[in-house]
Amino acid sequence: MKEALNAGPGPQATQRQHDKGKQTAHERIAALLDDDSFVEIEGFRRHQATGFGMEHNRPHGDGVIVGWGTIEGRQVFLYATDFRVFGGSLGEAHAAKIHKVMDLALATGAPLIALNDGAGARIQEGVGGLAGYGGIFQRAVRASGVIPQISVILGPCAGGAVYAPALTDFVFMVRGTAQMFLTGPEVVHAVTGEQITHEELGGAGVHATSSGVATFVSEDERSCLRDVRYLVSLLPSNNHEAPPSASTAGVPEADGERLLDIVPANPRLPYDMVRVIEELVDHGDFLEMHETWASNIICGLARIGGEVAGIIANQPAVLAGVLDIAAAQKAARFVQTCDAFNIPLITLVDVPGFLPGSRQEHDGIIRHGAKLLHAYCAATVPRVQVILRKAYGGAYIVMDSRSIGADLSFAWPINEVAVMGAEGAANIIHRKAIAAAPDPDAERQRHIKEYRSELMHPYYAAERGLVDDVIDPRSTRRVLIRSLAALRRKRMPNVDRKHANPPF
């Protein structure tokens, strides 16, 4: 009987799945979990619906496989929709199985992974399917910030079903086979007249670059599931645990000679901050999130000295590393996720300010920027800031400055911490003197030099206690390892309130 359950509706249905470049639900589970670790529950459950011929079609499992297993020996719970059965659609029995495994994950403090490949609510069962989604949403919110929740989109995910992954911490999508949208192309065309394909409307590329819904995008299912395993290895099982440590054998504490070549001293010249991060983390391994969305800021997980840390960094190679609406949203979400799961934060700063313009102002850069500010101010995990080059204006404050609660702040000798760049400051402060001078350009250069020497020299912020030390760039990795070790036992008391009210 067990073999029949695993086989599903038959070889033809399995072949159709394979022809689309997709694995079956059981094959996906086998690829994700450690060998022979999966324990399935409620495999014999059937729906109880009648009408529309449903009473004559009652397959065991009802289109979803639920249970638990291990990833690198650590327990996880999961559910995987089976597209071969009712198109993976959700009915009452299907939903009840998912509710059961979600409850078990929360009760035992273990990560929950959802492998999605389904057609939404089961139309034949009416409102029962919609109520089933409501139960999933309610449980996802209850588990938010308590256990890691990971969604993997491996096929269609449409209508109200999209809110299940939207409520989780991380969303993986496979290019070419995964789609997410509230209303499909047919409805879009009927209502608006717009002609658009499934891929153009809600494919992995769209959600990786435009909407920001996809945290990670993979080229195929196997690489996607490998990345899920890697992510789980960096996360704690729940909010009462620290992330798992790793051996540092053979990893030097400091070897930052290449940093001198990567980062130009001239603050106007761009460079790739990812290369800096790879020099700072163990083995150069860095799991970047939302890599192609809001690329002017970098967010990701890595190990430094064997310990997991979340890294937020401006990216001078994209828009000079300015903060804009999307960057603020992306970083704020990442800060909150790390804080929820006891992951220390490292902030690498090289920011010229917020992106100016009427579009940004009218679209709400004030409130969106405040989201990042709120996230940092509320974070209680260890927080270390490193200022590489420039840190100007409000963007300096928002990028985890000492004034909003960073535990430690370090700066390279080429740092410039100021209200704005020397050129802009001189033009404002000495506008009249420059205009009246016989040689305005010479007068402007004199005031720029004066402003830089008085208010932007490398030790200006350190002299005022806003930077703890001005460090040799080559020692940055060593400084970070030792700082995180010193802050490891940091504890912050909870504020007596129901919850904060962050900017919308």
Side-chain angles (χ1 to χ4, degrees):
M1 188 64 175
K2 285 281 189 181
E3 290 75 14
L5 284 178
N6 292 341
Q12 289 183 332
T14 299
Q15 188 59 49
R16 286 194 296 270
Q17 187 82 342
H18 288 166
D19 289 344
K20 295 175 184 176
K22 301 195 293 184
Q23 301 178 90
T24 66
H26 280 101
E27 289 168 343
R28 289 163 175 164
I29 292 170
L32 175 65
L33 300 180
D34 297 339
D35 292 344
D36 299 320
S37 70
F38 181 59
V39 178
E40 184 177 358
I41 56 175
E42 296 203 3
F44 294 101
R45 189 162 190 159
R46 291 172 159 175
H47 71 75
Q48 306 300 314
T50 58
F52 306 102
M54 292 292 287
E55 63 270 23
H56 305 301
N57 187 10
R58 299 177 62 231
H60 290 291
D62 202 44
V64 66
I65 301 164
V66 306
W68 69 87
T70 61
I71 293 178
E72 295 186 5
R74 297 171 60 218
Q75 181 170 287
V76 299
F77 285 82
L78 62 82
Y79 64 90
T81 52
D82 189 344
F83 193 82
R84 300 172 303 167
V85 179
F86 298 129
S89 60
L90 182 138
E92 290 187 45
H94 183 121
K97 293 177 66 175
I98 295 175
H99 297 168
K100 169 75 177 250
V101 80
M102 293 181 78
D103 290 340
L104 287 172
L106 183 59
T108 59
L112 175 71
I113 302 171
L115 305 180
N116 295 274
D117 184 8
R122 192 174 298 163
I123 298 172
Q124 298 93 325
E125 294 195 33
V127 73
L130 297 179
Y133 274 122
I136 293 173
F137 303 158
Q138 193 261 355
R139 286 169 172 81
V141 172
R142 190 190 307 159
S144 180
V146 181
I147 57 172
Q149 299 181 81
I150 301 169
S151 293
V152 189
I153 314 301
L154 300 161
C157 184
V162 298
Y163 285 115
L167 289 169
T168 60
D169 301 303
F170 309 95
V171 177
F172 289 78
M173 294 187 74
V174 175
R175 199 179 301 279
T177 56
Q179 297 102 31
M180 296 175 69
F181 36 71
L182 274 170
T183 53
E186 296 82 6
V187 176
V188 170
H189 178 63
V191 174
T192 70
E194 180 184 5
Q195 291 278 8
I196 192 167
T197 67
H198 288 79
E199 192 67 20
E200 291 168 339
L201 183 62
V206 170
H207 290 306
T209 59
S210 299
S211 72
V213 170
T215 319
F216 305 98
V217 170
S218 303
E219 297 303 319
D220 57 71
E221 289 193 10
R222 292 195 177 276
S223 61
C224 176
L225 296 174
R226 282 197 301 270
D227 288 344
V228 175
R229 287 179 60 90
Y230 182 36
L231 173 63
V232 170
S233 75
L234 297 171
L235 299 172
S237 293
N238 56 66
N239 65 332
H240 292 296
E241 298 181 4
S245 301
S247 170
T248 57
V251 184
E253 188 179 57
D255 181 19
E257 199 69 37
R258 284 184 291 270
L259 291 173
L260 301 179
D261 297 324
I262 294 171
V263 183
N266 185 343
R268 294 181 179 276
L269 294 178
Y271 62 93
D272 187 356
M273 183 68 84
V274 173
R275 292 182 60 200
V276 173
I277 295 170
E278 289 172 349
E279 292 298 316
L280 298 178
V281 303
D282 298 355
H283 308 293
D285 292 338
F286 176 58
L287 182 61
E288 185 173 355
M289 301 181 185
H290 296 290
E291 184 175 355
T292 56
W293 178 61
S295 301
N296 44 319
I297 200 159
I298 298 167
C299 300
L301 297 175
R303 282 193 173 87
I304 298 183
E307 303 298 329
V308 177
I311 299 174
I312 305 99
N314 306 111
Q315 174 55 292
V318 180
L319 295 175
V322 297
L323 290 178
D324 61 4
I325 288 172
Q329 292 174 328
K330 171 178 168 178
R333 168 72 170 179
F334 182 72
V335 169
Q336 290 170 334
T337 301
C338 289
D339 189 50
F341 295 114
N342 307 313
I343 299 172
L345 293 167
I346 295 170
T347 304
L348 305 178
V349 184
D350 192 345
V351 63
F354 284 93
L355 181 64
S358 60
R359 180 65 182 269
Q360 287 285 305
E361 297 292 348
H362 295 171
D363 287 349
I365 184 62
I366 293 173
R367 60 186 174 87
H368 290 292
K371 291 177 181 177
L372 179 54
L373 182 61
H374 187 281
Y376 268 127
C377 289
T380 61
V381 293
R383 294 155 52 189
V384 182
Q385 179 199 53
V386 180
I387 303 168
L388 279 65
R389 294 194 309 188
K390 56 192 176 295
Y392 294 160
Y396 152 67
I397 300 172
V398 170
M399 289 296 293
D400 205 19
S401 63
R402 281 287 304 277
S403 60
I404 66 168
D407 297 295
L408 294 169
S409 176
F410 302 97
W412 287 8
I414 54 175
N415 81 83
E416 295 181 352
V417 182
V419 175
M420 62 176 63
E423 293 83 356
N427 287 334
I428 293 172
I429 298 171
H430 303 288
R431 181 178 63 254
K432 293 181 180 179
I434 292 170
D439 186 346
D441 288 338
E443 184 74 4
R444 181 182 295 105
Q445 292 305 316
R446 185 175 72 82
H447 288 299
I448 290 173
K449 183 177 180 180
E450 176 187 43
Y451 186 86
R452 184 172 282 121
S453 64
E454 290 188 11
L455 297 178
M456 295 179 66
H457 63 80
Y459 295 92
Y460 184 83
E463 290 171 356
R464 284 152 182 79
L466 298 174
V467 166
D468 290 292
D469 196 9
V470 178
I471 63 172
D472 184 331
R474 293 169 293 188
S475 70
T476 306
R477 175 175 158 82
R478 179 189 300 116
V479 168
L480 289 173
I481 290 173
R482 295 181 179 182
S483 297
L484 293 177
L487 296 170
R488 191 167 296 143
R489 292 182 177 84
K490 176 186 174 183
R491 295 291 182 271
M492 294 284 288
N494 290 324
V495 178
D496 186 14
R497 62 185 174 194
K498 191 171 184 180
H499 58 75
N501 189 21
F504 68 100

